C-alpha cells in the first residue's frame, strides 16, 4: 500500500496530476511525493499549484544523472518509484533514434541501478501500447503478446520492459 510511503515520480510534471490526485482520492495518502523532472518550467508551474501541500517536493534533474539520483535516494527513504520520464514522440523517434535509446533505455537503466543500489524495488514503469506493434487482437489487453514495435520509440519501451523482467527475475 502506498499510504504513508515516500514515492519518487520521474518525469512527473506531465503525469503528476493523473497520478497524485487519484492516489489521494483513493485514500492512498503518501507521506511524501518527490517529483523529479528536467522540465524546469513545468516544475515551476506545478510547484505553484501544490505550494500548500507539504507532501510534494520538486527536484530538477535527469534520470541519466546517477550522482544526483544517488544523493536524492540517500536523502529520502523512497519506498516506490513511478517512472514516467521518457521521450514519447513516434515521429521524432524515427528521425532521432539514438536520442530515444539514450534517454528512454539508458535513462531507465541508470535509474534502475540507482534504485537497486538503494534497495528500492517497488517500481512502476509507464510503457506504451506501441510495444505490441501490429496487435494480435483489438482491443489490446495485457494478455496480448508483445509484437514487433514499428518505431524506435516502441522498441525503446519494449527494451525497458525486458530489462525490468530481467531485474525482477534476479
Amino acid at each position: 500500500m502506498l499510504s504513508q510511503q515516500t514515492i519518487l515520480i520521474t518525469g512527473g510534471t506531465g503525469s503528476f496530476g493523473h497520478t497524485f490526485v487519484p492516489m489521494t482520492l483513493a485514500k492512498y495518502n503518501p507521506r511524501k511525493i518527490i517529483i523529479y523532472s528536467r522540465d524546469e518550467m513545468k516544475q515551476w508551474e506545478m510547484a505553484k499549484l501544490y505550494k500548500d501541500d507539504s507532501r510534494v517536493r520538486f527536484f530538477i534533474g535527469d534520470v541519466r544523472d546517477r550522482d544526483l539520483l544517488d544523493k536524492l535516494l540517500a536523502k529520502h527513504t523512497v519506498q516506490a518509484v513511478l517512472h514516467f520520464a521518457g521521450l514519447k514522440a513516434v515521429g521524432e523517434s524515427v528521425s532521432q533514434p539514438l536520442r530515444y535509446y539514450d534517454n528512454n533505455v539508458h535513462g531507465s537503466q541508470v535509474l534502475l541501478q540507482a534504485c537497486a543500489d538503494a534497495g528500492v524495488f517497488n517500481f512502476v514503469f509507464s510503457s506504451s501500447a506501441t510495444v505490441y506493434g501490429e496487435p494480435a487482437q483489438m482491443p489490446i489487453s495485457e494478455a496480448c503478446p508483445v509484437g514487433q514495435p514499428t518505431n524506435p520509440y516502441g522498441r525503446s519501451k519494449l527494451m525497458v520492459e525486458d530489462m525490468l523482467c530481467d531485474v525482477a527475475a534476479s
Side-chain angles (χ1 to χ4, degrees):
M1 178 179 256
L2 299 176
S3 181
Q4 298 305 306
Q5 294 188 357
T6 298
I7 312 297
L8 169 63
I9 302 177
T10 66
T13 55
S15 303
F16 177 70
H18 299 293
T19 306
F20 181 68
V21 173
M23 282 171 51
T24 57
L25 291 175
K27 307 295 185 235
Y28 293 108
N29 188 18
R31 181 178 67 234
K32 190 185 311 179
I33 299 279
I34 300 168
I35 307 296
Y36 181 75
S37 175
R38 65 176 166 220
D39 190 333
E40 290 183 53
M41 181 56 81
K42 284 187 180 176
Q43 286 273 27
W44 183 75
E45 292 169 5
M46 295 296 292
K48 284 193 319 187
L49 287 173
Y50 291 93
K51 68 180 182 329
D52 296 328
D53 194 326
S54 63
R55 294 172 294 178
V56 183
R57 301 285 182 266
F58 294 91
F59 294 89
I60 304 296
D62 189 301
V63 293
R64 295 169 293 182
D65 187 340
R66 177 62 194 264
D67 290 337
L68 189 54
L69 285 169
D70 286 343
K71 289 175 187 169
L72 185 68
L73 291 166
K75 182 177 180 177
H76 303 277
T77 305
V78 172
Q79 286 84 20
V81 174
L82 306 179
H83 180 34
F84 299 138
L87 300 175
K88 60 182 191 276
V90 170
E92 183 180 74
S93 78
V94 173
S95 65
Q96 300 177 43
L98 294 176
R99 182 172 176 237
Y100 274 69
Y101 293 128
D102 179 46
N103 188 84
N104 295 359
V105 179
H106 175 66
S108 296
Q109 184 270 327
V110 171
L111 175 62
L112 278 168
Q113 187 64 62
C115 288
D117 290 349
V120 180
F121 294 101
N122 295 314
F123 197 94
V124 175
F125 173 61
S126 177
S127 191
S128 169
T130 60
V131 300
Y132 297 102
E134 296 297 325
Q137 69 184 47
M138 291 297 282
I140 299 170
S141 75
E142 289 188 21
C144 290
V146 294
Q148 293 295 321
T150 59
N151 53 69
Y153 165 69
R155 282 189 286 281
S156 74
K157 291 293 191 170
L158 184 55
M159 288 176 181
V160 176
E161 286 189 16
D162 289 341
M163 190 177 357
L164 286 165
C165 287
D166 291 340
V167 171
S170 72

